[in-house]
Amino acid sequence: MRDLAAGFGYLVKGQRWVARHGRWWGFGMIPALITLVGYAAALVALFFWTDDVIDWSTPFADGWPSPWLDVFRGALAVLFVGVCLFLAILTFTAVTLLVGQPFYESLSEQVDISESGTAPESGLPLWRELWIGLREAIALVIRVVLWGVLFFALGFVPVIGQTVIPVLAFCVTGFFLTEELTSIALLRRGVLLKERRRLLKGRRMFTLGFGVPLALAFLLPLVAVFLMPGAVAGATLFVRDLMGEEARADDDEDGDDDRTQPGYPAAPYPSSSPSAG
């Protein structure tokens, strides 16, 4: 329980950080707004055809008597919508982070600067970071789709499919969200996907405490837009704890430090460069 509370605490701290640095909050919302427009149109169309998808996928139930047919297909419709939201939440974050790589990179750096006066640097050119981000995002989306298919199939199991499976889906969603959001700060520290997974699995409850509340909040699309900058800031603070990094003694609690304003250059931080392989 302590790790769950600590993980949630970093989510709150991230929102507080962007609240104290309002210009960075607006700066970080731009990529999320761009991505939201496309996702909103896709989800509206998908949910409009939910009943047709369920009818097509369950022809064996056509002859079932009422009310069992309606109950069965109604439960599957709810599960289908849940799986679509599961995929949308995770891919929304991945796409937003990819679209907003320069935005969130700068935001994450400023959080580090406000905490310790320096910001780790990967030493890689921007195009290499974008390539690594794209490659890791594709790998994550593949895993998300596989999990989504599994949860949809398990939804056919009576009772468990409509109770236990949605809870598990939110836990998996929370873990993946944390994995995505911490990628920016960890890549700057030379930590690639495989090692990132190992670190997060080593602090599983800590990770879920950060990611699951965010997954629940992200069910509301507009909330996702407003929380995204704070989620990136909180993920950076989360990473500092995960890596055992200490904050400087004279942290600027008032949020007036010029170094945390857009456009201020990040201080150099020695770091080993990750390979692109």
Side-chain angles (χ1 to χ4, degrees):
M1 290 300 294
R2 181 177 298 179
D3 275 352
L4 282 173
F8 178 70
Y10 281 112
L11 181 60
V12 174
K13 289 177 182 178
Q15 301 304 322
R16 288 173 54 193
W17 193 95
V18 295
R20 295 200 309 268
H21 305 84
R23 282 187 286 177
W24 280 106
W25 179 63
F27 186 69
M29 281 204 304
I30 296 173
L33 285 170
I34 294 172
T35 308
L36 177 64
V37 173
Y39 268 72
L43 286 175
V44 168
L46 185 62
F47 294 157
F48 182 77
W49 285 304
T50 293
D51 290 341
D52 293 334
V53 172
I54 297 301
D55 291 346
W56 171 82
S57 63
T58 58
F60 58 86
D62 287 342
W64 289 14
S66 181
W68 304 114
L69 176 62
D70 292 336
V71 170
F72 176 69
R73 285 182 169 167
L76 286 183
V78 171
L79 181 66
F80 178 73
V81 170
V83 170
C84 290
L85 287 173
F86 167 79
L87 296 174
I89 290 171
L90 289 171
T91 57
F92 175 86
T93 305
V95 172
T96 301
L97 290 177
L98 191 61
V99 170
Q101 174 74 18
F103 293 82
Y104 296 129
E105 183 80 22
S106 297
L107 172 57
S108 179
E109 286 178 356
Q110 297 309 319
V111 174
D112 272 320
I113 290 172
S114 71
E115 290 294 300
S116 62
T118 60
E121 294 181 355
S122 67
L124 295 175
L126 178 60
W127 71 266
R128 183 74 63 83
E129 289 188 353
L130 289 174
W131 167 246
I132 293 175
L134 175 61
R135 187 181 62 190
E136 293 186 349
I138 292 173
L140 180 64
V141 168
I142 291 173
R143 290 166 60 209
V144 168
V145 170
L146 292 176
W147 276 100
V149 171
L150 175 62
F151 286 139
F152 183 73
L154 291 175
F156 287 87
V157 179
V159 183
I160 294 177
Q162 292 76 49
T163 54
V164 176
I165 299 306
V167 174
L168 290 177
F170 270 108
C171 289
V172 172
T173 303
F175 186 91
F176 282 158
L177 273 178
T178 306
E179 182 179 309
E180 289 177 274
L181 288 164
T182 55
S183 65
I184 295 175
L186 285 173
L187 179 58
R188 287 192 291 106
R189 288 161 169 82
V191 181
L192 297 182
L193 183 59
K194 184 176 181 179
E195 178 65 11
R196 185 159 71 245
R197 290 175 188 165
R198 188 191 67 79
L199 285 171
L200 294 177
K201 287 179 180 179
R203 300 284 301 277
R204 197 180 301 272
M205 299 306 290
F206 188 47
T207 300
L208 293 178
F210 183 89
V212 172
L214 194 61
L216 292 170
F218 275 19
L219 288 175
L220 302 175
L222 287 177
V223 172
V225 172
F226 285 108
L227 293 186
M228 181 62 77
V232 173
T236 303
L237 297 171
F238 180 99
V239 166
R240 294 184 63 83
D241 186 317
L242 197 66
M243 303 296 286
E245 299 172 7
E246 296 182 359
R248 59 180 180 176
D250 60 339
D251 280 347
D252 175 39
E253 292 296 334
D254 297 327
D256 296 327
D257 192 337
D258 289 340
R259 288 173 298 183
T260 59
Q261 301 305 327
Y264 192 93
Y269 185 100
S271 173
S272 58
S273 300
S275 64

